[in-house]
Amino acid sequence: MVTTSFVASAAAVTGCWVVHAAAASSGVFDVPLELRNVYPAANFNRNVSTRYWQTTVLDGHSNEDSLALSQNLTDASFIVLDQGMYELIGIDGKNGCAPSVEPIFDFPPGPSYTNRLTHDGIAYSPECNCIFLGELYPPNEGFSMIPIPWIWRINLNSNPPKTEQVNPSPPLTLANGATYHKGSIYFIQEGNTTVPGGIVKMDPLTLKTEVVLNNWFGHRFNSPNDIVIDNDDVAYFTDGYYGYDTFKTTLNPELANGVWRFEMKTGNLRQFTGAGGGPFTNPNGVALNAKQDKLYITNRGLTSNDPAGGRTIYEFNVNNKEGIPVTGPTVFSYQDSGFPDGIKTDSAGRVYASANGGVNVWDKTGRQLGIIKVQTGDDSVQMQFVGNDLYIAGREHLYRVHLNATGSQVY
Ligand SMILES: *[C@@H]1O[C@H](CO)[C@@H](O)[C@H](O)[C@H]1NC(C)=O
Ligand SMILES: *[C@@H]1O[C@H](CO)[C@@H](O)[C@H](O)[C@H]1NC(C)=O
Ligand SMILES: *[C@@H]1O[C@H](CO)[C@@H](O)[C@H](O)[C@H]1NC(C)=O
Ligand SMILES: *[C@@H]1O[C@H](CO)[C@@H](O)[C@H](O)[C@H]1NC(C)=O
């Protein structure tokens, strides 16, 4: 098993890790198979809310190898689990220059009752050459249900990009997910007790908003979470009990949690998975592949760190031309930590999901290629490709990493 090592050199300042074979690990860590499959300590454990590199050796049984493994995993920016990861980070085996995961903005500290500020909603608009990023302070017991009025706008016309708070008008009500479609940003909002959740579209230049969908035969949705829209103007969005269960900010749910298909051209709306059973406890992230014939949907358990929670990504088949338009699912992957929240695909069919400590990456067959790590202590929440740059929204920072890949969405 080849273990490739990289160290930061002067070039790292400009975002490049240069190979120095046999030097101390930094940048890229290719986990030796034998250490992956048999943990190098006799007695160990790891719970769902921690990262791979925080696996705890019990009874003082740590040894040189377990300490080195944990250190190597901690130091790396990229964890390689399959050789396909090298192609993604654009380095040819042991030669070349791996990118750096560069923090480009520090989010201000959150309120005392939550460590999560940013959520799934991140979308790029070519009209302004900017990325919009939704933020919600999940209001908790004893706190106001009044949502924060702003979203973040990351202006890519300058380098480093300028990140600032801007106010959509009328304001959003706990906007969680977002996607770009034909000149508009579509947010999906949870709603609160007075404003029903649903889809709101925003003009990226004027920031004017307009409600697109807020009910099904008069029923409010539970807490719509994430959205994607295909080229035929068909929107897919997830709906769970988040607002009601976690934040106590919505009315009693009157619908099953599930995933909805909304034909914006005809108004046809149906729940295609979830109702009366199905795999989902709380469906969350949603993404389409480049051909728009596969839909990926993530599931969360009863809480974000539910040990028995279905932290699973499901793959559905999409065919708008004939028969039932969405069929499936099959299990695409199961995630090792937390749950897959934000999810994106690239033009080569890879799937990226946010996780505690970084972004997990799989190839289109569901084989995990590796992990793109964010800074120690931070978690990734959602990602957005712009060209070859993957922007990663964390809890504490916004990151940018230059990859040998482009997103699946064509603008
Ligand atoms: C998970 O493990 C971490 C580190 O060992 C520990 O700090 C935390 O309390 C554990 N959480 C639970 C729910 O057991
Ligand atoms: C840690 O990384 C170093 C440098 O790449 C390597 O020589 C060593 O085998 C690794 N050890 C473990 C236990 O991962
Ligand atoms: C970048 O990806 C392409 C496939 O999309 C591959 O042919 C090429 O070898 C990769 N480049 C590097 C440096 O790995
Ligand atoms: C619900 O959100 C709206 C903003 O969209 C706000 O004006 C209203 O006060 C909120 N309702 C409650 C009960 O706080």
Side-chain angles (χ1 to χ4, degrees), residues 17 27-30 72 75-80 85 88-89 98-101 370-373 401-403:
W17 299 98
V28 178
F29 180 53
D30 189 331
N72 285 352
D75 290 346
S77 286
F78 300 93
I79 294 174
V80 175
M85 188 71 175
L88 174 63
I89 56 186
S100 68
V101 184
I371 305 170
I372 303 169
K373 284 177 57 199
V401 55
H402 194 77
L403 297 174

Side-chain angles (χ1 to χ4, degrees), residues 346-405:
D346 72 16
S347 54
R350 296 183 195 93
V351 175
Y352 302 70
S354 62
N356 291 341
V359 176
N360 285 331
V361 188
W362 295 267
D363 72 8
K364 63 183 171 198
T365 71
R367 171 190 285 267
Q368 188 165 358
L369 302 178
I371 305 170
I372 303 169
K373 284 177 57 199
V374 295
Q375 284 189 355
T376 302
D378 203 0
D379 295 320
S380 83
V381 182
Q382 177 59 299
M383 300 74 58
Q384 173 66 54
F385 267 106
V386 180
N388 287 104
D389 288 334
L390 184 69
Y391 289 82
I392 303 170
R395 283 198 284 107
E396 297 170 2
H397 307 280
L398 176 72
Y399 304 86
R400 179 172 60 187
V401 55
H402 194 77
L403 297 174
N404 183 27

Side-chain angles (χ1 to χ4, degrees), residues 86-87 90-92 404:
Y86 289 109
E87 183 176 311
I91 54 174
D92 164 19
N404 183 27

Side-chain angles (χ1 to χ4, degrees), residues 166-181:
V166 293
N167 294 347
S169 164
L172 302 164
T173 306
L174 299 171
N176 200 308
T179 194
Y180 173 84
H181 180 68

Side-chain angles (χ1 to χ4, degrees), residues 112-391:
S112 58
Y113 55 88
T114 181
N115 61 8
R116 279 281 296 279
L117 304 181
T118 59
H119 277 253
D120 312 21
I122 181 167
Y124 172 72
S125 154
E127 285 77 12
C128 56
N129 190 30
C130 68
I131 297 172
F132 291 99
L133 177 58
E135 179 174 334
L136 69 158
Y137 289 162
N140 220 330
E141 297 235 43
F143 289 88
S144 161
M145 235 174 257
I146 298 173
I148 52 163
W150 69 77
I151 55 174
W152 294 98
R153 181 173 62 196
I154 302 134
N155 187 336
L156 305 185
N157 294 307
S158 56
N159 194 14
K162 186 174 174 215
T163 301
E164 59 189 342
Q165 292 172 345
V166 293
N167 294 347
S169 164
L172 302 164
T173 306
L174 299 171
N176 200 308
T179 194
Y180 173 84
H181 180 68
K182 298 185 181 171
S184 297
I185 301 290
Y186 286 76
F187 285 100
I188 187 110
Q189 59 183 23
E190 288 189 358
N192 61 14
T193 53
T194 49
V195 180
I199 304 175
V200 176
K201 94 185 208 193
M202 182 187 81
D203 183 308
L205 299 176
T206 64
L207 309 182
K208 290 273 173 255
T209 62
E210 182 189 327
V211 175
V212 173
L213 178 74
N214 70 4
N215 80 99
W216 182 63
F217 294 113
H219 290 298
R220 294 163 86 115
F221 299 106
N222 302 335
S223 285
N225 190 275
D226 203 3
I227 181 168
V228 69
I229 305 175
D230 74 13
N231 295 338
D232 293 333
D233 304 345
V234 179
Y236 303 89
F237 65 93
T238 54
D239 191 29
Y241 289 163
Y242 303 104
Y244 176 72
D245 252 10
T246 314
F247 308 133
K248 313 280 181 258
T249 48
T250 57
L251 300 181
N252 271 14
E254 299 293 343
L255 295 170
N257 287 342
V259 190
W260 296 80
R261 178 183 184 276
F262 175 44
E263 272 175 21
M264 299 200 293
K265 280 179 189 154
T266 65
N268 184 279
L269 174 65
R270 60 165 100 180
Q271 186 177 123
F272 63 87
T273 182
F280 292 106
T281 314
N282 275 301
N284 196 291
V286 58
L288 281 160
N289 66 346
K291 277 173 69 187
Q292 305 194 332
D293 62 356
K294 304 254 184 254
L295 187 64
Y296 296 96
I297 302 172
T298 77
N299 188 25
R300 195 200 80 167
L302 293 173
T303 63
S304 295
N305 290 313
D306 180 357
R311 38 188 195 273
T312 307
I313 301 173
Y314 292 97
E315 182 186 286
F316 291 77
N317 294 313
V318 176
N319 181 348
N320 288 336
K321 303 282 180 291
E322 60 187 45
I324 294 176
V326 187
T327 51
T330 37
V331 172
F332 176 78
S333 65
Y334 181 67
Q335 177 156 299
D336 69 299
S337 75
F339 76 104
D341 191 344
I343 181 173
K344 282 285 189 304
T345 57
D346 72 16
S347 54
R350 296 183 195 93
V351 175
Y352 302 70
S354 62
N356 291 341
V359 176
N360 285 331
V361 188
W362 295 267
D363 72 8
K364 63 183 171 198
T365 71
R367 171 190 285 267
Q368 188 165 358
L369 302 178
I371 305 170
I372 303 169
K373 284 177 57 199
V374 295
Q375 284 189 355
T376 302
D378 203 0
D379 295 320
S380 83
V381 182
Q382 177 59 299
M383 300 74 58
Q384 173 66 54
F385 267 106
V386 180
N388 287 104
D389 288 334
L390 184 69
Y391 289 82

